[in-house]
Amino acid sequence: MVEHHPVHNSEVYLLGLAPRPSVPPPSPPSPVTPREVEQNSVIEELCLDDADGAEDPAGIDSLAQQRISGAIHVLSTEATALRSLTCLYKTDATAAQGFNAAVETITRHKGDKGKLIIIGVGKSGLIGRKLVATFNSLGVQATFLHPTEALHGDLGKIGKHDVVLFITFSGKTRELLTLLPHLDETLPVIVLTSHTRPEACEISRQRPGTILVPAPIHESEIASFGVSAPTTSTTVALALGDALAVVSSQELHATVTSVFAKNHPGGAIGESFDKPRQIRDLAVPLVEVPIWPESSGEACGADILKLGYESQSGWARVGDAIASPGRIRRLDTGRLTLKLRDIPDLVVERVEWIRIHADTRVSQAAQWLREPLISLEPGEAGAYDEDSILAVMDNGEVVGVLEASQLLSWQE
């Protein structure tokens, strides 16, 4: 039997806009409201540095300079569009409420019951396909559905627990409006569009209760570039879709990093996860450790063995005590029928867990844990061994657990 010493206070902390190319004269501007004047003044403060103070790169001819100037104009315009969108979500209640409702709807099924169906046409469809890949890599089940294919049999992809996300800048894409009546009335619908009010969006008007996620641009693409090719509009749609994916994933998963690493083992990104860099990357999320139900009475050794065996993590919990995979593996068959109170080395009470900050570097934690004695409080010390349980802390809460043996054997 390994004697485990109570631990106290043992947390570890590791702590330029350029001149625009000439374009056809724009149509007479619409009257500007006081609210728009106020918002535009905020946007101007957020814009990139004024080009008047910028210097032209030395050693390039006039044609190259013209190309660079054009590129800077495009980049500055799209950056301004994103800054404008940021300002909208900071100041506009409708936009904030729509985003909140969208995340709530996407994450309403915490298990694997539902998925996100993203639908779009043309450039919006391409943005949708990219967002599907992002959602899936972050552990939020998603799939793309072309509206025309949906009308020819692919409606069967949509389940009763799913959520539909339309991407349409105009809010009145013909293919989407044609599909809309064929969607079950109980199916939640989100529309990512340029409109900032539901009454201005045709999809929202035809489908009351649609969740509006505004993605407007600060000026038309014709005014910016002299052509209505989707540029700033697709940039803001992609950025807002990424925001939905990241926030939804953070709400669904205790540690998004481990989920992403599991779903992205290949390429340079996958290689970057080969060696966990922080304790949070090694830890098993506490929410994924199954708990012995109190209604089943007092657990015995066999109950904990079965609970750990059926768990993907190999861990098991009983109230505030926890059994690690190593302890469960070493459970003697002669103790299977004994109650937990008679198997003192199987579970470890919470007060005996070694607390360590989630952001601690793995290499530093390993070195710290190998010290034969760790000073706890003046005049008190405790020894740690491979059976010790590490409680991974984030914002004062236990978010994961880890066997000390993983660190004691750690090598760079």
Side-chain angles (χ1 to χ4, degrees), residues 3 20 47 57 64 88-89 104 125 135 145 253 263 280 285 306 312 316 321 334 360 367:
E3 184 178 358
R20 295 180 178 175
C47 287
L88 176 73
Y89 277 85
E104 177 70 24
F135 273 100
L145 179 61
H253 305 289
N263 293 335
R280 70 169 74 247
K306 183 175 184 293
Q312 289 186 350
T360 305
Q367 180 180 0

Side-chain angles (χ1 to χ4, degrees), residues 150-151 155 158 176-185 187 207:
L151 293 171
L155 268 176
I158 304 178
L176 302 187
L177 292 174
T178 302
L179 174 63
L180 196 59
H182 301 283
L183 299 179
D184 191 291
E185 292 183 357
L187 198 69
R207 177 92 172 206

